[in-house]
Amino acid sequence: MGDDAHISGVGTDYPLEKAAPGGSALATGALGPVTRVTQVMNNVACTYQNGGQPIATGSVNVQGGKVYAFFTASGWNRSGDTGLQANLAIGGSSSFSARIFANPDLTHLTMIRQRVLLGNLRPDPSASAKITAGKATVTDTNDHVSLTVLELGSPAVWRMACRKVGPPDSLSQYGSTSFRSRGGYLLVCASATGFSTSGQAMTGMDLSIDDTCHGTIQIFANKKNWHLAFVPADFLIKSIPSGDHTLVATPAAGTTIDSNDAYAITVFEVMAPPTVLNVTEVLANAPAAGQTGGEWVASGAFSSYGGTLIITSAASAYSHSDAAKLGMTIQVDSQDVGSMQAFANPKGVHLGLPGNDLVVTGINAGKRTVSLVADAGTATDANDRCSVTIIEVATTTWP
């Protein structure tokens, strides 16, 4: 399908009638059902397959609203210099793909994170959710995949302002896209790949709106000419006025891109009061703490209203040993709520862990702390990056 096409102005626009409490976002005057959130795959170990076969399956109760999917995966290839791909389809939706180009053979690599609009799917209490490998993509139980599905009620608590994905437009720019804002908060979700021609260099992608840089995503490239996925991040922007805007994504200093690279940028506009949809940028491309395994990596504060939390986490790490498992535990106030894992074939190489969009309930209202804690044998230093975003959805109708 046209996964590399620009989608703009997606969704029904509801009239904006009044300001939300504290002016944090915008609300309508109509009542609507809550947003439904389902974590279909939670850091699931992939099945072994040799290409073109399902790597993970599940089901989700679709009620017939507007459906968004967040997913990520890892994989590898036997020969190297080959594109890796994981294709998601839910119910009767088109297929959406996560990708990366694998220079090394027999090396597990994380693909770019995807946040996609599946559209208004037909109601189905057990709609199939399937992630299938590309023909040249191998997976085994050292690979992992996560999938979280959101179904919006009416009026929508957010809208997709624009989405741009695909290979770079040129050697100097990933892409540019125009969108219109209603004046609410923007959540810019970014993922991409790139490489260094020299090695031992920080690489990344810069995001600008109307010529102002609003964020960078990065990963440290130990090896030269290895395409790697940067640690994805979400940037919450509160100062964009209503009107037309232009977003441009370019390679950061020290980063080279070519037609084998991929990127995915989705801009959501939050249009509900924080008691209904509260978004907190906790960590965005934050440096990790230096530790050799089993210790604290990064943390940040957020406030909860006591609803359902989507904790989106991503990070990079490395191992001091070859053929070692990498992992991090996500904690809220020192309570384990989930994890993310990867496999490090070469030692000493910074690699991205497939992120996880955890659905967490039972966290009481109030000020909270979310932390990333490394598993034993998982090392980090100041060259590693961490990202955590909290998306909280209400359990009642609104406003």
Side-chain angles (χ1 to χ4, degrees):
M1 58 86 59
D3 189 35
D4 57 355
H6 170 209
I7 305 173
S8 182
V10 176
T12 302
D13 293 329
Y14 296 93
L16 303 176
E17 299 176 355
K18 62 182 180 180
S24 61
L26 297 170
T28 75
L31 290 173
V34 299
T35 297
R36 295 171 53 85
V37 184
T38 305
Q39 184 156 25
V40 184
M41 302 171 192
N42 182 351
N43 192 40
V44 172
C46 296
T47 59
Y48 173 77
Q49 57 80 45
N50 205 30
Q53 299 298 312
I55 60 176
T57 58
S59 64
V60 60
N61 182 356
V62 175
Q63 304 244 322
K66 191 175 299 252
V67 177
Y68 291 91
F70 299 173
F71 77 101
T72 188
S74 64
W76 55 283
N77 180 263
R78 297 187 185 282
S79 60
D81 291 331
T82 303
L84 305 181
Q85 188 166 316
N87 307 306
L88 167 69
I90 296 179
S93 75
S94 300
S95 177
F96 290 84
S97 300
R99 299 183 175 93
I100 192 170
F101 188 80
N103 299 92
D105 61 355
L106 308 176
T107 300
H108 296 262
L109 295 173
T110 297
M111 304 175 207
I112 62 170
R113 182 181 67 184
Q114 288 283 16
R115 292 189 168 175
V116 299
L117 170 64
L118 300 178
N120 292 80
L121 301 184
R122 179 179 61 84
D124 185 344
S126 57
S128 65
K130 181 185 293 185
I131 297 180
T132 303
K135 291 183 179 180
T137 304
V138 182
T139 59
D140 58 35
T141 55
N142 288 314
D143 292 297
H144 289 80
V145 61
S146 292
L147 168 64
T148 297
V149 174
L150 293 82
E151 184 168 11
L152 301 189
S154 177
V157 294
W158 68 8
R159 62 184 281 270
M160 181 186 286
C162 67
R163 170 175 159 78
K164 190 74 184 292
V165 300
D169 291 345
S170 68
L171 299 182
S172 60
Q173 179 176 289
Y174 285 96
S176 67
T177 182
S178 297
F179 66 93
R180 176 165 294 181
S181 169
R182 295 298 185 102
Y185 283 9
L186 297 182
L187 184 66
V188 181
C189 309
S191 184
T193 70
F195 63 99
S196 167
T197 56
S198 60
Q200 302 301 316
M202 188 65 73
T203 60
M205 178 175 74
D206 294 330
L207 292 164
S208 297
I209 298 178
D210 301 336
D211 298 322
T212 298
C213 184
H214 284 279
T216 300
I217 56 175
Q218 296 175 307
I219 197 165
F220 188 81
N222 299 88
K223 305 285 189 178
K224 68 177 182 180
N225 298 328
W226 275 27
H227 295 260
L228 294 173
F230 313 133
V231 176
D234 305 314
F235 300 97
L236 185 63
I237 303 173
K238 304 178 182 180
S239 57
I240 297 295
S242 61
D244 294 326
H245 305 280
T246 300
L247 182 150
V248 178
T250 54
T255 305
T256 302
I257 58 175
D258 62 25
S259 59
N260 289 315
D261 285 299
Y263 72 100
I265 302 170
T266 305
V267 179
F268 294 107
E269 184 164 30
V270 180
M271 302 192 302
T275 50
V276 173
L277 180 68
N278 191 34
V279 181
T280 305
E281 178 191 310
V282 180
L283 301 168
N285 196 51
Q291 55 82 47
T292 57
E295 300 178 51
W296 172 88
V297 174
S299 64
F302 70 99
S303 294
S304 171
Y305 287 87
T308 298
L309 303 180
I310 308 170
I311 304 177
T312 74
S313 304
S316 65
Y318 66 98
S319 171
H320 290 293
S321 304
D322 291 324
K325 292 184 178 181
L326 300 177
M328 290 188 192
T329 298
I330 300 99
Q331 297 181 341
V332 175
D333 294 342
S334 300
Q335 173 188 345
D336 293 357
V337 295
S339 62
M340 47 187 175
Q341 294 175 301
F343 191 83
N345 299 89
K347 67 180 180 181
V349 174
H350 296 264
L351 297 170
L353 282 64
N356 198 347
D357 298 292
L358 290 163
V359 177
V360 179
T361 58
I363 303 297
N364 292 332
K367 294 185 181 297
R368 301 285 172 246
T369 299
V370 60
S371 303
L372 302 179
V373 180
D375 292 352
T378 299
T380 56
D381 60 28
N383 288 316
D384 287 297
R385 294 293 181 262
C386 306
S387 296
V388 177
T389 303
I390 307 292
I391 302 171
E392 181 173 11
V393 295
T395 55
T396 57
T397 57
W398 69 289

